[in-house]
Amino acid sequence: MYLGVDIGTSVTKAAAFDEEGALLAVEARRTRLDNPAPGRVEQDLEDVLGSVGEVARAVVAKAGAVPRIVGITGQGDGVWLTGPDGRAVRPAISWMDSRAAPIVRRWLAEGEIEKSFRRTGNAMFPGAAGPILAWLDAEEPASLDAADTAGYCKDAVMRRLTGVRATDASDASLPFLDPWTRAYDTEVIDRHGLGHRAGLLAPVADPLPVGELTAEAAPLLGIPAGTPVVAGPFDLPAGALGSGVVRPGDGHLIIGTTLACQVLVDTVDTGGEPVGMTLATATPGRWLRAMPAMVGTAALDWVLGLTGATHEALDGMLSASPVGAHGVGCLPFFSPAGERAPFLEPAARASFHALTVHSDRTDLTRATCEAVAYAARHCFEAAGLGGGVATCGGGTRSAAWLRIFADVLGRPIRLAPQPETGARGAVLAARLALGEDVDLAAWTAPVAVIEPDPGRAARYDELYARYRCLVDGARLGWSAA
């Protein structure tokens, strides 16, 4: 039996798989997001670690077996500051946090974001480690002084479980990794005024950090000390691997809190608009060109909450409003941190247009779901999608929304094995890192394929063109604000 743990932004999940990849058991626990001030989002490492223990123990009990290997994945970006004992020196600053937005705006104006992108293929946004570290260096230097590591979520958990202080190439990619050498680019670090803090960056373990569960941490997971534990890649690449994205040109769509659109590539392109991520995978010569938009299921959650509707009613509501939502349109940029892909604009904000007194909540809901699908198409165009698309994430529970995605993208969508595709990817990555033979095709066979409807796809081509015009106009306004 194999145990995969996926530490999401608001939910920690664990899943057990047998040798052939069949799901044996799954468990989830919500974790706390703290908002100490407007635009600030933080998490407590002890709360997160406790959730990891709860889901792991529950899954092991359900499966009735001891795992041979534990694979860990989790949310990326943000900054998780820990000291020499592996404990947090302050609450973790989430990737959703926007306190560093003024720094990003300054770096944009000075051309530093573009200069870094031309070297790394990664564009920083307010929740990325670079701007957050710069903010901490200016506003909370004592926190950095007390830490020995400025790492990421899964790395902080890995350290507490095994004592291993390391990260992997995927998490290290944004913002400081040289994609070709797979080492930190000191020039980029220095140019952002963080050379004196470079020692806080965890060593990059290639292909992945590997350790053994310590005697101290074993009771937390309820499994024997000495069990191999492998950290990484973080949730975007883990989800792609768990969805069977292994051929260059193929795409992966995560319909979750983040709308993550990524394409597996075998070359690094640092041209074009400086936006998105170029994530090194565990395989040298393979990268994920990722466009993780800030839009996603959070936009739908907001609209459903505003209108008093439930997620269980979503498919019915989408059926009650036609393609195009009776003319109602939406720009789905609801995050207070703005947008990071397929364009970088901290000032981006959401809006509805073409509303009348005849518009109802089904139109608002459909317009939002369509807009998120348009955002996915925009991201995939920027990432260079050339093949098929596999998908996973909480949003895939709605069959009607999946049909909208297929029609807007105009191509079939493979539904990855559900649930816990990220945990599946973490286990696959762990087994490969430890040299085990794995039947990737069997482990990642799609459970369904959603075909686009030609008539609806043609109509969505027209509506998508309108969406792009509205986005272009809004970007001019946001930039001038």
Side-chain angles (χ1 to χ4, degrees):
M1 187 266 276
Y2 300 92
L3 176 64
V5 179
D6 184 354
I7 310 162
T9 302
S10 57
V11 180
T12 298
K13 297 147 286 186
F17 305 93
D18 69 13
E19 186 72 29
E20 286 73 40
L23 183 67
L24 302 175
V26 65
E27 195 75 25
R29 294 286 187 279
R30 296 199 68 82
T31 48
R32 193 177 74 246
L33 290 171
D34 297 322
N35 304 101
R40 298 191 178 186
V41 184
E42 298 183 344
Q43 288 193 275
D44 180 75
L45 175 57
E46 298 306 313
D47 176 62
V48 169
L49 197 66
S51 73
V52 170
E54 289 179 18
V55 295
R57 293 193 303 272
V59 163
V60 169
K62 284 183 178 180
V66 177
R68 294 182 55 237
I69 298 171
V70 178
I72 303 173
T73 186
Q75 59 183 292
D77 301 306
V79 170
W80 296 64
L81 286 181
T82 54
D85 59 357
R87 296 185 178 275
V89 303
R90 72 167 325 280
I93 300 178
S94 168
W95 64 270
M96 300 173 69
D97 194 279
S98 63
R99 76 187 70 192
I103 293 173
V104 172
R105 284 194 288 269
R106 174 166 57 85
W107 287 352
L108 276 169
E110 295 172 350
E112 290 301 327
I113 298 289
E114 179 171 358
K115 291 175 184 175
S116 294
F117 178 83
R118 301 302 175 210
R119 291 182 67 93
T120 69
N122 287 282
M124 297 188 213
F125 67 102
I132 294 174
L133 286 172
W135 185 91
L136 287 166
D137 195 47
E139 304 294 336
E140 284 187 27
S143 294
L144 297 182
D145 293 341
D148 76 339
T149 304
Y152 302 95
C153 177
K154 66 173 175 55
D155 304 326
V157 171
M158 177 71 171
R159 191 176 187 185
R160 289 289 291 277
L161 295 180
T162 67
V164 173
R165 176 183 179 265
T167 190
D168 80 298
S170 72
D171 251 334
S173 292
L174 180 65
F176 299 128
L177 196 74
D178 181 316
W180 295 278
T181 67
R182 301 167 71 89
Y184 292 121
D185 188 322
T186 56
E187 180 177 327
V188 175
I189 296 171
D190 291 342
R191 199 162 55 224
H192 290 86
L194 293 168
H196 63 298
R197 300 294 190 182
L200 291 174
L201 302 177
V204 180
D206 218 349
L208 296 171
V210 177
E212 293 183 351
L213 189 65
T214 65
E216 180 183 9
L220 177 70
L221 302 190
I223 60 179
T227 300
V229 182
V230 181
F234 81 95
D235 56 4
L236 267 62
L241 180 59
S243 299
V245 178
V246 295
R247 294 178 302 181
D250 281 353
H252 184 238
L253 170 66
I254 303 176
I255 312 172
T257 304
T258 296
L259 182 75
C261 304
Q262 44 191 351
V263 177
L264 188 66
V265 297
D266 52 13
T267 59
V268 174
D269 181 5
T270 59
E273 184 172 358
V275 69
M277 304 175 180
T278 301
L279 305 174
T281 70
T283 303
R286 293 287 187 273
W287 299 265
L288 283 163
R289 185 73 175 107
M291 297 287 167
M294 299 295 283
V295 307
T297 57
L300 176 62
D301 293 344
W302 183 85
V303 171
L304 293 178
L306 184 71
T307 60
T310 65
H311 286 86
E312 289 72 23
L314 176 59
D315 280 15
M317 295 178 72
L318 292 176
S319 298
S321 181
V323 171
H326 289 119
V328 176
C330 174
L331 296 184
F333 309 111
F334 289 89
S335 170
E339 189 50 275
R340 60 178 175 173
F343 55 86
L344 177 60
E345 180 48 77
R349 293 296 180 265
S351 63
F352 287 95
H353 54 272
L355 291 167
T356 74
V357 293
H358 299 296
S359 304
D360 62 20
R361 65 179 185 173
T362 68
D363 296 326
L364 289 174
T365 302
R366 187 171 188 100
T368 302
C369 288
E370 289 179 340
V372 174
Y374 298 148
R377 179 168 169 175
H378 195 180
C379 286
F380 274 129
E381 288 177 353
L385 177 65
V389 175
T391 188
C392 64
T396 63
R397 288 191 289 268
S398 168
W401 200 7
L402 276 180
R403 287 194 295 273
I404 290 175
F405 276 103
D407 292 338
V408 169
L409 294 176
R411 64 184 70 217
I413 294 180
R414 305 189 312 274
L415 182 60
Q418 306 288 318
E420 309 319 328
T421 310
R424 180 181 296 272
V427 168
L428 287 171
R431 293 189 64 188
L432 291 169
L434 293 172
E436 293 196 0
D437 290 328
V438 184
D439 187 342
L440 286 174
W443 270 70
T444 62
V447 297
V449 178
I450 300 89
E451 298 283 349
D453 176 88
R456 291 193 300 265
R459 175 60 177 145
Y460 275 128
D461 282 343
E462 300 171 357
L463 294 170
Y464 174 67
R466 182 185 72 167
Y467 168 84
R468 288 294 303 273
C469 288
L470 290 167
V471 169
D472 291 344
R475 290 184 68 181
L476 293 175
W478 295 327
S479 299

